Amino acid sequence: MNPFAFACIAPHGSELLEALAGPDPARMALTRGSLHTLGERMRAAAPGALVVLTPHGTRAEGQFTVADSERLRGTVEDHGAAVTLERRVDRPLARAIAAEALADGLPVAVLNFGTSEGPLSCLPLDWGALIPLHFMPDVPVVVINPPRGPDFTPHLRFGQALARAVAASGQRVGLIASCDWSHTHDKDGPYGYHPAAAHLDAQVADCIRRGDLESLASLDPRLVEDAKPDGLWQTLVLAGAIPSPARRVQLLSYEAPTYFGLLCAGFSTCPEA
């Protein structure tokens, strides 16, 4: 069963935001258009809350972190401009997700800042969450940061716990896996060039197109190290949350206009699942 109103894989490059696109707005135009499409589909699904899986939030080594502050607020800057976004947190849903995962023996840290509630209870909204949320409906959110590591079994199990908590909530909930892919496409990028980037991204796009997300857990660890993706962990949580028979996948676009790969895909409900 797929308990989510709509789910997607969405990237988080800063130039995807029109205000931060700089002197070459066409550089990420394909992906930007796909993000607008994902946002329209999410709005049509009318979720009351959004769960965002991000690789760049507040991290705790070896643990899944779940934001449980009153609010999240962040700013992304590029090309001399800035975009700020603030969202309320769906705290009952955040706590239910954390409790379900903890009951399954998974390592989870529930995070807050400043005060237990009220205006000072505000955690940073990282760019991995802020950028896809910019295209989505303005509803309360739950932001989760999965740990990184070579063992993906906890991520699949966390996704299953997430799905159980969402189903039990009775809410319409959207799910966003915020993922950029290989970061070694360009010799002038911060991680340099490696041919593994194109190879890994081609495999990822094929797996997602076929709806076979679980195969991403079997990627060669050396290929992963050389290509430096940051999307595997969030995608495998999504794989646990939406079982294979319940996936109807559409890969909208893939491009690598800069040093990292950008992919957009939507996951709608299969009525027969």
Side-chain angles (χ1 to χ4, degrees), residues 76-97:
V76 178
E77 300 179 358
D78 206 350
H79 296 293
V83 171
T84 298
L85 196 69
E86 182 175 312
R87 290 289 183 266
R88 290 177 296 123
V89 176
D90 188 326
R91 301 186 79 179
L93 182 59
R95 292 170 181 176
I97 293 166

Side-chain angles (χ1 to χ4, degrees), residues 9-271:
I9 295 173
H12 49 257
S14 60
E15 291 180 50
L16 292 166
L17 303 184
E18 287 89 341
L20 307 183
D24 186 9
R27 179 155 72 164
M28 295 185 181
L30 173 64
T31 303
R32 190 179 301 118
S34 294
L35 274 168
H36 280 295
T37 298
L38 291 175
E40 290 165 5
R41 293 182 184 177
M42 189 68 84
R43 279 186 286 277
L50 295 172
V51 174
V52 187
L53 308 167
T54 173
H56 300 304
T58 304
R59 298 166 70 173
E61 191 66 27
Q63 294 182 287
F64 294 87
T65 66
V66 181
D68 182 31
S69 52
E70 289 276 355
R71 299 174 295 119
L72 294 159
R73 189 175 192 275
T75 300
V76 178
E77 300 179 358
D78 206 350
H79 296 293
V83 171
T84 298
L85 196 69
E86 182 175 312
R87 290 289 183 266
R88 290 177 296 123
V89 176
D90 188 326
R91 301 186 79 179
L93 182 59
R95 292 170 181 176
I97 293 166
E100 191 69 40
L102 285 165
D104 195 31
L106 291 163
V108 179
V110 180
L111 305 178
N112 199 348
F113 176 81
T115 58
S116 59
E117 58 187 26
L120 296 179
S121 172
C122 184
L123 281 165
L125 185 64
D126 70 280
W127 67 98
L130 186 156
I131 290 166
L133 282 174
H134 178 84
F135 296 87
M136 301 292 161
D138 183 358
V139 297
V141 301
V142 176
V143 173
I144 298 168
N145 182 239
R148 301 198 186 201
D151 181 8
F152 297 111
T153 304
H155 298 77
L156 293 165
R157 287 174 52 206
F158 187 93
Q160 293 162 4
L162 167 61
R164 291 194 300 270
V166 166
S169 76
Q171 291 194 75
R172 292 184 63 78
V173 176
L175 177 60
I176 303 165
S178 178
C179 305
D180 288 341
W181 294 96
S182 297
H183 282 62
T184 55
H185 282 282
D186 187 340
K187 66 180 178 59
D188 295 324
Y191 306 101
Y193 170 78
H194 200 287
H199 293 301
L200 184 139
D201 282 7
Q203 291 185 48
V204 167
D206 180 62
C207 290
I208 291 172
R209 189 179 290 110
R210 292 185 288 107
D212 183 16
L213 306 185
E214 289 80 2
S215 350
L216 297 178
S218 302
L219 288 169
D220 181 345
R222 180 60 186 268
L223 181 69
V224 172
E225 174 60 30
D226 291 339
K228 296 182 171 35
D230 74 9
L232 292 178
W233 299 268
Q234 301 84 260
T235 301
L236 285 161
V237 172
L238 188 152
I242 305 177
S244 180
R247 290 180 204 144
R248 184 188 306 180
V249 186
Q250 182 185 14
L251 193 153
L252 275 66
S253 63
Y254 169 81
E255 63 176 340
T258 177
Y259 67 91
F260 54 94
L262 305 168
L263 183 149
C264 290
F267 296 75
S268 52
T269 301
C270 285

